[in-house]
Amino acid sequence: MKRTLTSVLVASALLSLSATSALAKVTDKDIENDATTPGDVVSWGVGTRGQRYSTSTQINTKTVKDLVPAWSFSFGGEKQRGQESQPVVSNGKMFVTGSYSRVFALDAKTGHKLWQYEHRLPDGIMPCCDVVNRGGALYDNLFIFATLDAQLVALDQDTGKVVWKEKLGDYAAGYSATAAPIIAKGMVLTGVSGGEFGIVGRVDARDAKTGKLVWTRPVVEGHMGYKYVDGKPVENGISGTLNATWPGELWKTGGAATWLGGTYDPDTGLAYFGTGNPAPWNSHLRPGDNLFSCSTVAIDVATGKIVWHFQSTPNDGWDFDGVNEFITYKTKDGKILGGKADRNGFFYVLDAKTGKFQNGFPFVKKQTWATGLTADGRPKFIPEGRPGDPAKSADGKKGNSVFAAPSFLGGKNQMPMAYSPDTGYFYVPANEWGMEIWHEPITYKKGAAYLGAGFTIKTLDPKDIGGNYIGALRAVDPKTGKIVWEVQNNAPLWGGVLTTKGGLVFWGTPEGFLKAADAKTGKVLWEFQTGTGVVAPPIAWEQDGEEYIGVATGWGGAVPLWGGEVAKKVNMLNQGGSMWVFKLHKH
Ligand code: CA
Ligand code: CA
């Protein structure tokens, strides 16, 4: 009898040991199911579809008043710059990236630091828009993230030691990387930053366990894609027809940076990546649509081929990067659609399988460059809304300046929106601002800014936008195009959004508040001052019977650097760098 008991104890000890180590490894299944498993958040977007919808209900419209801090953790040092990272949580551990390509592994319940990784950055890096990072991907026992010197680094989740490291691009040519990678079918998918330096936008797929390239797909027409067999490149078709939509040689340095990363829908087998501005900004140098800039490209992850593309701003002349996240969702009749709030101020609804345009409408109140969309979703341009051709100016050096809205910082920028299957609304962190912009002559020089434009960001007349504000968290109905409710904000919104089955929407403000509103009505039910601006998206997860809300804080990003008059208006905001976690107070 005694012997039997001992062997039962040994067996159960072994069982729990193997259960623990099995749990510690993040699988493809964990990632595909992420959106419906509240015990972890293993992907950027809270599920690779990017809905940022938590199925947790403990924190809800009734209980949120009792939400209090559980812990806070400082990223420390003097590196207090913009913190745009979405943390991931697995097996009781949180992994969050910080400014300057740092990673912190924390006990998700207590905030106790497990390890810290500091990537050694060279002096010559050229990030356009602050030294930010937006988070990492979990796969197996790895945490994988991209660095400001355009490398992809995989760390051991237990020790923080480098397991593999791969180069994404030449930082001396302007390549950098700030987006969170995503995982699809055991591959890690990444984009590149550097659209202001004439780089060539690209999506790469690598074996997530080894970092070895599986395929690479440039997103500028004329460039070749490759598959890799035994480490050797094999031609995989051209990304488009050479020179069809670009004049001369400009496609060679055509931009279209995939700098915000992508989403992936296991039901379509497609990864959706947004692409940035065509380079240079001076659009008169490149008559044509300049594919696949300012577009959504859908890539079959099995082959690395572009299955469809949808261009939101053909021949962009305003830096209306089309990088914004394409979030897929199912309609009641089982159709898979995708929604995207573009930097150009229009919201697009597309068929996620074919890219066919379904519906489109403005989600901002002032647009100077287009009067609307055609039946197939192409903008109806206002010719006078485009900055003038410098070649036609008296001295050939500066084209006519125009006032344009949105500004190049966008109706929406890097801050990801959320979609609730309960309300059917998208929750869009929008901004209302404009700019003076003009075009100038420019020629490409490796490693130098390649704009051919000048600009100043401006605030808008409150009469034009219905109030004295810049930011507005907007609930948008993708069926009707109506803004159902909005919460205005003095400073531009720059953090992302989380929505929950508890009927809530969470978002942060540059003024330092993390807020929660009723997802149906927009009534603000809770807010907490974190001490510095919030420019990152919140997450929710459950652990030991309790629901937690977490958000990285730290003011920064593109606004203080490029925001012109708006930057002056918000120059009282203080920098920081912390992780904040909340849970319900027990009475
Ligand atoms: Ca999950
Ligand atoms: Ca850009």
Side-chain angles (χ1 to χ4, degrees):
M1 191 64 198
K2 195 183 168 194
R3 227 171 84 193
T4 317
L5 185 64
T6 310
S7 48
V8 166
L9 284 173
V10 170
S12 76
L14 280 172
L15 193 72
S16 69
L17 196 71
S18 68
T20 307
S21 57
L23 269 176
K25 299 208 172 196
V26 176
T27 65
D28 283 289
K29 213 177 166 85
D30 295 335
I31 293 160
E32 286 197 10
N33 295 336
D34 192 15
T36 54
T37 52
D40 60 20
V41 176
V42 295
S43 49
W44 193 81
V46 192
T48 60
R49 291 176 184 83
Q51 291 185 356
R52 297 184 181 278
Y53 169 79
S54 165
T55 54
S56 295
T57 55
Q58 191 179 82
I59 300 167
N60 57 46
T61 48
K62 294 210 169 61
T63 61
V64 69
K65 62 178 174 21
D66 294 327
L67 199 58
V68 292
W71 55 263
S72 176
F73 173 86
S74 170
F75 297 153
E78 294 169 1
K79 298 170 174 177
Q80 308 281 23
R81 295 280 288 270
Q83 312 294 347
E84 296 183 352
S85 179
Q86 182 219 295
V88 285
V89 177
S90 171
N91 208 30
K93 290 179 191 168
M94 172 183 287
F95 305 88
V96 60
T97 60
S99 49
Y100 291 98
S101 306
R102 292 175 295 165
V103 182
F104 304 88
L106 309 169
D107 182 313
K109 203 169 170 177
T110 64
H112 177 77
K113 185 166 88 175
L114 305 172
W115 52 258
Q116 177 171 341
Y117 172 80
E118 304 215 6
H119 185 74
R120 185 180 287 184
L121 291 165
D123 287 337
I125 54 168
M126 288 179 261
C128 76
C129 307
D130 203 3
V131 287
V132 298
N133 185 278
R134 303 198 178 86
L138 294 173
Y139 192 72
D140 199 52
N141 197 36
L142 302 174
F143 175 81
I144 308 167
F145 84 113
T147 64
L148 290 164
D149 60 341
Q151 296 198 57
L152 193 59
V153 182
L155 304 174
D156 184 300
Q157 286 174 18
D158 296 322
T159 63
K161 295 270 183 315
V162 175
V163 177
W164 57 258
K165 201 187 300 193
E166 294 287 331
K167 200 171 152 178
L168 291 171
D170 177 7
Y171 71 82
Y175 282 90
S176 59
T178 52
I182 55 162
I183 303 284
K185 294 185 194 287
M187 296 180 290
V188 56
L189 307 186
T190 51
V192 289
S193 307
E196 275 58 55
F197 298 94
I199 60 99
V200 173
R202 219 174 69 228
V203 180
D204 289 344
R206 287 178 165 78
D207 183 317
K209 284 192 189 175
T210 64
K212 294 274 173 300
L213 259 180
V214 180
W215 51 257
T216 182
R217 172 53 56 185
V219 293
V220 176
E221 193 174 65
H223 290 270
M224 186 72 84
Y226 295 93
K227 260 193 120 152
Y228 285 77
V229 178
D230 299 327
K232 298 220 164 50
V234 179
E235 285 187 9
N236 190 24
I238 208 151
S239 67
T241 309
L242 192 62
N243 284 359
T245 60
W246 289 84
E249 307 281 278
L250 263 74
W251 60 279
K252 287 185 178 168
T253 50
T258 44
W259 63 259
L260 194 52
T263 57
Y264 167 67
D265 191 326
D267 291 328
T268 62
L270 302 176
Y272 306 93
F273 276 70
T275 63
N277 62 284
W281 286 17
N282 178 353
S283 62
H284 302 282
L285 294 172
R286 43 174 173 73
D289 282 358
N290 316 133
L291 292 173
F292 302 98
S293 65
C294 299
S295 302
T296 301
V297 293
I299 300 175
D300 180 350
V301 298
T303 64
K305 294 203 165 153
I306 296 174
V307 173
W308 59 258
H309 70 273
F310 178 89
Q311 190 174 42
S312 34
T313 316
N315 191 229
D316 164 53
W318 304 265
D319 188 34
F320 286 156
D321 287 11
V323 292
N324 297 101
E325 67 287 357
F326 182 78
I327 299 178
T328 57
Y329 61 102
K330 274 204 179 106
T331 61
K332 286 210 174 76
D333 52 357
K335 228 177 168 185
I336 305 174
L337 302 179
K340 172 170 167 174
D342 200 281
R343 191 144 129 176
N344 71 16
F346 286 110
F347 192 101
Y348 298 88
V349 181
L350 309 178
D351 184 309
K353 283 185 188 161
T354 64
K356 192 168 185 296
F357 177 72
Q358 309 288 306
N359 191 15
F361 46 85
F363 65 94
V364 294
K365 305 212 167 150
K366 190 167 173 76
Q367 280 173 307
T368 58
W369 64 282
T371 55
L373 301 173
T374 65
D376 55 2
R378 208 178 156 88
K380 296 178 190 163
F381 285 106
I382 300 169
E384 312 80 64
R386 180 179 293 272
D389 186 353
K392 289 179 183 155
S393 67
D395 60 359
K397 286 187 180 148
K398 185 181 172 185
N400 274 344
S401 181
V402 299
F403 181 83
S407 77
F408 72 85
L409 290 173
K412 188 168 97 53
N413 201 288
Q414 60 84 28
M415 52 288 194
M417 61 182 182
Y419 171 78
S420 167
D422 301 329
T423 60
Y425 302 153
F426 281 90
Y427 299 97
V428 184
N431 290 313
E432 301 280 0
W433 44 16
M435 63 180 167
E436 288 290 340
I437 182 168
W438 61 92
H439 287 166
E440 299 168 348
I442 184 88
T443 49
Y444 175 78
K445 192 168 156 259
K446 184 188 167 184
Y450 186 45
L451 297 188
F455 51 79
T456 309
I457 303 273
K458 306 258 187 188
T459 54
L460 298 179
D461 188 334
K463 285 198 290 287
D464 286 350
I465 55 171
N468 193 5
Y469 67 98
I470 298 170
L473 196 275
R474 288 179 173 149
V476 168
D477 186 333
K479 285 195 292 253
T480 63
K482 291 257 158 42
I483 295 169
V484 182
W485 56 257
E486 71 172 13
V487 178
Q488 297 181 351
N489 197 69
N490 183 52
L493 292 181
W494 207 257
V497 184
L498 172 79
T499 184
T500 75
K501 199 173 185 176
L504 295 169
V505 178
F506 287 91
W507 76 102
T509 69
E511 290 89 338
F513 287 98
L514 181 65
K515 298 189 179 208
D518 186 314
K520 282 190 191 136
T521 65
K523 187 180 178 206
V524 176
L525 301 173
W526 176 86
E527 62 180 26
F528 181 86
Q529 173 56 248
T530 65
T532 174
V534 183
V535 292
I539 59 163
W541 78 98
E542 292 175 16
Q543 198 170 333
D544 299 332
E546 288 183 293
E547 181 183 349
Y548 293 83
I549 301 289
V551 70
T553 64
W555 171 237
V559 177
L561 296 172
W562 299 109
E565 287 185 358
V566 170
K568 279 185 207 146
K569 186 180 166 176
V570 297
N571 67 5
M572 70 299 194
L573 300 171
N574 280 332
Q575 293 181 317
S578 293
M579 187 66 218
W580 278 93
V581 168
F582 304 86
K583 64 176 185 173
L584 293 179
H585 172 69
K586 281 185 190 148
H587 290 285

